[in-house]
């Protein structure tokens, strides 16, 4: 099993029906934007904004083009709520080893191959846990 110290919670990801309303709601609670403009993820049809308050980081994900399905379409279709916790993201020391260890338990399935993201600054993947739901694993490159 992955030792506790090798996985550290990085952020909580939310799926939002209304991107701007979700961001405004967190900003009213004292959160600030990490970047002035949202990041766009065309392959997943997403716009993404990270906000922070002290050591807490949240990520708001919303459909970029409402006429198309996106990475957050399914979880939002399962509820009438406007904002839902979508995933927890963890940093790991070695993403390949973490994926191997988690899938070996039989409780996790890799949803897509490990990819390079963040403008080449990290490797990441999403895994579906039988009990804990969707998680994202990240390892930052060139620390």
């Amino acid at each position: 099993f992955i030792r506790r110290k090798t996985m550290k919670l990085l952020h909580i990801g939310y799926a939002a029906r209304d991107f701007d309303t979700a961001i405004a709601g967190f900003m009213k609670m004292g959160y600030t934007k990490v970047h002035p403009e949202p990041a766009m993820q065309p392959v997943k049809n997403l716009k993404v904004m990270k906000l922070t308050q002290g050591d807490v980081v949240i990520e708001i994900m919303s459909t970029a083009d409402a006429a198309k399905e996106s990475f957050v379409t399914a979880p939002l279709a399962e509820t009438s709520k406007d904002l839902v916790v979508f995933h927890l993201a963890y940093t790991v020391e070695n993403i390949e080893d973490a994926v191997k260890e988690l899938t070996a338990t039989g409780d996790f399935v890799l949803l897509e191959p490990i990819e390079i993201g963040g403008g080449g600054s990290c490797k990441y993947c999403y895994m579906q846990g039988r009990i804990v739901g969707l998680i994202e694993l990240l390892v930052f490159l060139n620390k």
Side-chain angles (χ1 to χ4, degrees):
F1 294 102
I2 293 179
R3 293 185 317 266
R4 251 175 118 180
K5 69 178 184 170
T6 65
M7 287 183 70
K8 181 180 178 192
L9 184 64
L10 180 65
H11 67 257
I12 300 167
Y14 287 88
R17 287 187 203 288
D18 186 319
F19 189 71
D20 295 328
T21 299
I23 291 168
F26 279 98
M27 291 182 76
K28 286 178 185 176
M29 294 189 311
Y31 284 81
T32 57
K33 293 178 181 179
V34 172
H35 302 288
E37 297 298 322
M40 302 305 283
Q41 296 181 2
V43 173
K44 293 183 178 173
N45 189 23
L46 288 176
K47 52 185 170 182
V48 179
M49 175 63 71
K50 285 194 172 97
L51 297 110
T52 186
Q53 184 184 65
D55 292 340
V56 177
V57 178
I58 60 162
E59 179 179 67
I60 306 295
M61 304 172 95
S62 189
T63 301
D65 179 351
K68 300 176 185 174
E69 288 213 11
S70 80
F71 195 54
V72 296
T73 300
L76 289 171
E78 295 173 3
T79 182
S80 61
K81 298 195 181 293
D82 292 326
L83 186 71
V84 295
V85 173
F86 180 53
H87 71 280
L88 298 178
Y90 296 91
T91 58
V92 293
E93 293 174 6
N94 182 308
I95 195 165
E96 289 82 4
D97 287 349
V99 167
K100 188 177 188 179
E101 290 177 32
L102 287 170
T103 55
T105 69
D107 288 329
F108 288 87
V109 175
L110 181 64
L111 296 181
E112 54 194 22
I114 297 168
E115 299 180 34
I116 300 291
S121 67
C122 68
K123 286 184 182 179
Y124 75 98
C125 68
Y126 286 91
M127 299 186 77
Q128 182 67 45
R130 184 175 55 85
I131 297 169
V132 301
L134 187 66
I135 64 169
E136 178 182 11
L137 300 179
L138 296 104
V139 62
F140 291 97
L141 307 171
N142 304 320
K143 290 183 185 180

